[in-house]
Amino acid sequence: MEMTGAQTLVHFLQDEGVEHIWGYPGGAVLPIYDALDTDATTLNHILVRHEQAAVHAADGYARSTGKPGVVLVTSGPGATNAVTGIATAYMDSIPMVCITGQVPTGLIGLDAFQEIDTVGITRPIVKHNFLVKDVNDLADTLKKAFYLATTGRPGPVVVDIPKDVQNAKSNYVYPQEVDIRSYLPVTKGHSGQIKKAVEMMLSAKRPILYTGGGVILGDASEELTTLTRKLGFPINQTLMGLGAFPASDPQALGMLGMHGTYEANLAMHHSDVIIAIGARFDDRVTGNLEKFCPDAKIIHVDIDPASISKNVIVDIPIVGPVKQVLTEMIQVLDNTKQEKDEAALADWWKQIEEWRATNCLRYDTTGSKIKPQAAMQAVWKSTNGDAYVSSDVGQHQMYAAQYYPFDKPRRWINSGGLGTMGFGLPAAMGVQMAHPDATSICVTGEGSIQMNIQELSTCLQYGLPVKIICLNNGFLGMVRQWQEFFYERRYSMSYMESLPDFVKLAESYGHVGVRIEDPKTMQTQLDEVFSDKYKDRLVFVDILTDQQENVYPMIPAGAGLNEMILV
Amino acid sequence: MKHIISMLMENESGALSRVSGLFSARGYNIHALTVAPTEDETLSRLTLVTSGTEQEIEQIVKHLNRLIDVVKVLDLTEGAHIERELMLIKVAATGDMREEYKRLADIFRADIIDVTSTTYTIQMVGDSNKLDAFINILDSGLILETVRSGTMGILRGEKCLQLS
């Protein structure tokens, strides 16, 4: 069927099964917005208030569903505003396709109005990007973009479409096939390596599973749970991996790393075999590399060969999709005659239980001020631990990770890699669009929320009943914490003076505002916030918390996993 | 240690900057880089010289393979290979030196390809060490300009870097 490039885009997205597209119009995408008006039947466009939020919303949608998030922004400032969102998705390997408008091909390179080299600017923060110069290539390029974004190690792909290409006509046929000769993602792990890995696991005396976001991205939670229970080994999860294995299971030692639990970090440090699955030995996990797990042999399962032996040299690398590799591991395990060293494992668990008994997440519950930890626990209680929790970045993010345990994957949505403040609210919007009947929470602080607070307006327009839990301590808490520990309490620029009245602010946007100041009434107030009374309303819950509280445990930068600061 | 990494990549605008961008973003060195189309007009051959530990080189190769525009990567230094570099060097040539340059050119199997009353331009092909040696024996004050192509290389024998 003959149609314009803009129409081709709309028809392609619908044929590709895209439900939602987050965006903001502008000069260089006007033909596409016109085609959305004339041609879109199943595709739903959501108008955000800032392009960064469009990307985070698509990101939240992608993380909570596994489907690619799709974004549409204009050239120049539209694209540059999207950059932070794209980088956020890139660092966490989130499948995403970002369509950017570009000035007409004849003007490219002439410093035209709202011209920017989008392909050049986004190159280091995308899995791949395209500039479409000919309308006849558009459908194939879009197909490639979706294929690249969603296969192998997922990631964002940018497709830059000049305005004249949007207007030019061609014959549109939905491309069923895609062929990229240089791109052949691994579909199967090496069977010999998998056998060797299982042998090593079974001969371990102090084994530990260390699992990350790759398990969730690879939809392998079920396989991970089966394998872990069959092995009976302790399991640590990274910030990105929370929910892949049920936190309530006694085998789960919690999160590891800088603010991980005592038992998780010590078990990691003292282990003799580490089974790393879909995790990338990030510096926030390993601490000082020279002191990292001195006795451990390492098995590493990852879809991306470049992740293997990048930071830590591993003994048995297995490149492949986590789901397939774990399935094969389970089969090998079921058929082997090799036995586990039960005696050694019993001693290992005894040691771990001793570490666990330190109860490292304890905190003072006697004061008159609300403790942020208590606030997160109260939110967990009000929501039966079954909400989608999107987080901003800072102390509240760590409190949520520590005190809102997740039993299911894709429930914990946070910017782990880039650490983007302002991520939470738009991400929670994307989650809510994907799961209209679910409870979508944004856990934030008074600093982070102001980085994308304009999206309260979007939430009103689309009736998104997100529940915002703002842990308001009047400080950029994580900055303040580091200044307290490492800069002799010189609180340079970490104090947020002149805060708005968030309750009134929420109300002025047409939402409900609630302030919680008293620990005694907190649970009742939160129960009400999450009750049917506000089922269809966005509620901004401003919780005034203890200003002096710090996130513990903590591994200071440069220290080893066994050198934790407890409370 | 020095490594010569050779690759086939899509002959598309932007492909080169993806490769060079990877090196700058990850802090890897590029000592030399040369790129040109191949007999298959959809492919370019890029050769670069870098250095690093074995682990760094392994990471470089893995990251290059991850680039969508890169079709095939080979570390030539891993096997038997031939490396060559082209140099054009313009020197001040007056008096006795005019004869001396001709003798040196013979010894190094170089050619004098441009002559004026005061200068010679000498063309030389060889591995990088040979080109370095030639430069080192010249009085640096007489060298007017040096242009080097960067090292390129090819596998010895029947083995080829090609699409399978």
Side-chain angles (χ1 to χ4, degrees), chain A residues 154-193:
Chain A
V157 177
V158 167
V159 184
D160 199 25
I161 312 177
K163 196 172 181 179
D164 56 324
V165 175
Q166 298 169 28
N167 285 324
K169 289 196 168 174
S170 73
N171 185 38
Y172 168 69
V173 182
Y174 175 72
Q176 300 287 349
E177 304 270 306
V178 59
D179 175 38
I180 306 173
R181 61 180 168 182
S182 59
Y183 177 73
L184 301 163
V186 184
T187 55
K188 197 179 170 312
H190 190 280
S191 296
Q193 292 287 88

Side-chain angles (χ1 to χ4, degrees), chain A residues 23-198:
Chain A
Y24 204 98
V29 282
L30 282 173
I32 298 173
Y33 274 85
D34 194 49
L36 280 170
D37 193 68
T38 56
D39 285 45
T41 50
T42 56
L43 183 64
N44 173 38
H45 179 277
I46 299 110
L47 176 68
V48 294
R49 299 297 180 269
H50 187 289
E51 287 90 350
Q52 183 190 346
V55 190
H56 292 328
D59 186 325
Y61 170 87
R63 290 180 202 237
S64 68
T65 61
K67 298 180 208 165
V70 186
V71 179
L72 171 60
V73 297
T74 191
S75 64
T80 54
N81 277 347
V83 162
T84 300
I86 297 168
T88 303
Y90 180 69
M91 288 294 279
D92 291 341
S93 305
I94 304 305
M96 175 182 291
V97 174
C98 183
I99 313 290
T100 55
Q102 184 53 278
V103 300
T105 44
L107 291 182
I108 290 178
L110 301 180
D111 300 324
F113 177 64
Q114 292 193 331
E115 183 194 353
I116 202 79
D117 176 9
T118 302
V119 164
I121 283 184
T122 58
R123 189 175 296 128
I125 52 163
V126 294
K127 186 166 172 186
H128 196 58
N129 56 18
F130 298 95
L131 170 64
V132 184
K133 288 180 180 155
D134 182 343
V135 70
N136 294 303
D137 298 334
L138 182 57
D140 278 342
T141 305
L142 289 166
K143 186 72 187 171
K144 283 181 187 171
F146 276 83
Y147 176 63
L148 288 170
T150 54
T151 54
R153 180 177 183 171
V157 177
V158 167
V159 184
D160 199 25
I161 312 177
K163 196 172 181 179
D164 56 324
V165 175
Q166 298 169 28
N167 285 324
K169 289 196 168 174
S170 73
N171 185 38
Y172 168 69
V173 182
Y174 175 72
Q176 300 287 349
E177 304 270 306
V178 59
D179 175 38
I180 306 173
R181 61 180 168 182
S182 59
Y183 177 73
L184 301 163
V186 184
T187 55
K188 197 179 170 312
H190 190 280
S191 296
Q193 292 287 88
I194 292 172
K195 270 206 186 91
K196 267 169 67 183
V198 172

Side-chain angles (χ1 to χ4, degrees), chain A residues 543-561:
Chain A
I543 307 182
L544 304 186
T545 60
D546 186 348
Q547 296 199 309
Q548 301 306 318
E549 196 55 42
N550 289 322
V551 181
Y552 294 111
M554 179 173 183
I555 300 171
L561 289 184

Side-chain angles (χ1 to χ4, degrees), chain A residues 123 129 181-182 304 308, chain B residues 10 17-18 42 62 66 68:
Chain A
R123 189 175 296 128
N129 56 18
R181 61 180 168 182
S182 59
D304 179 10
I308 287 176
Chain B
E10 300 291 351
S17 59
R18 290 181 207 279
T42 68
K62 287 199 274 194
R66 213 163 72 141
I68 309 298

